[in-house]
Amino acid sequence: MIDPDVQAVCEEFGVRIIPANVAPRLSETRAPTTLERMKRKYGLDHMRFVVGLLAETDNNRAILTEEIYWATSDIVLAFKKNFPAVISHETTKLYEFFDATPIGQLQFWCLDLEGITSKRRALVGMLWERAVRKFGPLATQPDLLDDRRSAA
């Protein structure tokens, strides 16, 4: 049985919940239990924000998986702690960041880490490194000796 709040949030953002044995297509997810656990742990508003962030960014509607939901949740929590103004006053910038970030490609690279480390945490690290470059103190004045100054 799917949690009614999870069902309502998914419907709100046009995400269709499908059975676990069906391959997901654009705007489909097999992870309602993940969303229910997220709601219990962080609250309905947090879960709604995570679903909306992924569902409303064109670059990410095809990867609504358990791993991506949790990594996005972790990043949202990191933004609340480190860049609270972005979450509370400049949400559009966060959406633009997520839309421009190839999360599916980053998740694919994490497959090489299977059995070595948590893919979720590796993905969070890759996302956070990009976020700090975009929103952190070096965003306005980059380090000229940084080997990745043209990335992110």
Side-chain angles (χ1 to χ4, degrees):
M1 171 140 243
I2 297 171
D3 180 290
D5 290 333
V6 169
Q7 183 72 48
V9 168
C10 286
E11 287 174 6
E12 176 184 348
F13 291 105
V15 174
R16 187 168 158 248
I17 297 172
I18 59 171
N21 64 336
V22 175
R25 296 184 302 201
L26 194 65
S27 297
E28 293 182 338
T29 188
R30 300 183 295 191
T33 305
T34 297
L35 296 175
E36 182 181 354
R37 282 193 305 250
M38 188 181 298
K39 180 189 93 166
R40 280 196 316 263
K41 188 168 185 175
Y42 299 115
L44 179 61
D45 290 339
H46 176 81
M47 187 264 293
R48 176 181 279 116
F49 191 86
V50 168
V51 172
L53 185 58
L54 290 168
E56 292 187 335
T57 51
D58 291 332
N59 201 24
N60 302 310
R61 286 183 288 176
I63 53 167
L64 303 177
T65 64
E66 176 181 14
E67 192 172 82
I68 296 295
Y69 280 132
W70 279 121
T72 302
S73 173
D74 293 346
I75 290 295
V76 167
L77 294 171
F79 264 86
K80 284 180 181 178
K81 176 184 175 189
N82 296 285
F83 305 124
V86 174
I87 290 285
S88 58
H89 304 300
E90 302 170 330
T91 309
T92 303
K93 289 183 179 181
L94 181 61
Y95 273 72
E96 289 169 354
F97 169 74
F98 261 76
D99 204 26
T101 303
I103 297 176
Q105 180 65 48
L106 298 178
Q107 181 187 30
F108 179 72
W109 290 341
C110 289
L111 292 176
D112 293 339
L113 300 173
E114 180 75 41
I116 298 170
T117 191
S118 162
K119 292 177 286 188
R120 168 185 169 184
R121 289 184 174 55
L123 181 58
V124 168
M126 287 190 270
L127 289 169
W128 188 244
E129 189 259 354
R130 290 167 183 254
V132 169
R133 289 178 181 283
K134 177 84 174 163
F135 299 101
L138 296 178
T140 55
Q141 181 63 48
D143 179 354
L144 295 177
L145 300 177
D146 186 350
D147 64 331
R148 294 192 62 201
R149 64 184 172 273
S150 64

